[in-house]
Amino acid sequence: VYEEMCIALRVFISGHGGTPEMKERFHAAYAAAWLWASDSVLVALNHFIALQVQRAADPTSVEQTTLKSAYTGIVVEMRKDVGFSGTVASVSNYQFVQF
């Protein structure tokens, strides 16, 4: 479920595909997460979604650094949930790469 969510979240990253297929993939992953994800992952995921909704209403209301931090917050929470509870990796360690 978490691997699929990581892939599906790419729909929100500029240049990574806002296609109908990617949007559907996100909706399916989001539904599965609500069934299987821990509470801490769902809280992080919903925080990110709320920021996306806010940004859709007013693109200048949420800075890109805030969105990136929320995105990586989900990934860190998923890592903790799958057995890396003592992870020292943090939000600032995640790198966004563009080619």
Side-chain angles (χ1 to χ4, degrees), residues 13-61:
I13 299 174
S14 179
H16 286 262
T19 65
E21 294 82 14
M22 282 300 291
K23 291 175 183 178
E24 182 56 36
R25 193 171 190 175
F26 170 75
H27 285 127
Y30 186 69
W34 266 94
L35 183 59
W36 299 108
S38 68
D39 289 348
S40 64
V41 172
L42 290 177
V43 167
L45 181 58
N46 283 331
H47 172 66
F48 178 74
I49 298 299
L51 290 172
Q52 291 294 336
V53 169
Q54 181 181 340
R55 183 176 180 270
D58 179 7
T60 63
S61 66

Side-chain angles (χ1 to χ4, degrees), residues 3-96:
E3 283 183 55
E4 185 58 33
M5 181 53 69
C6 282
I7 294 166
L9 281 170
R10 291 178 48 196
V11 73
F12 294 105
I13 299 174
S14 179
H16 286 262
T19 65
E21 294 82 14
M22 282 300 291
K23 291 175 183 178
E24 182 56 36
R25 193 171 190 175
F26 170 75
H27 285 127
Y30 186 69
W34 266 94
L35 183 59
W36 299 108
S38 68
D39 289 348
S40 64
V41 172
L42 290 177
V43 167
L45 181 58
N46 283 331
H47 172 66
F48 178 74
I49 298 299
L51 290 172
Q52 291 294 336
V53 169
Q54 181 181 340
R55 183 176 180 270
D58 179 7
T60 63
S61 66
V62 182
E63 293 186 14
Q64 200 58 225
T65 55
T66 301
L67 291 171
K68 287 180 176 180
S69 179
Y71 178 95
T72 56
I74 299 166
V75 177
V76 169
E77 286 303 318
M78 288 190 286
R79 279 183 52 79
K80 290 177 182 177
D81 193 41
V82 298
F84 298 102
S85 58
T87 187
V88 294
S90 69
V91 169
S92 64
N93 295 126
Y94 192 98
Q95 298 296 312
F96 290 87

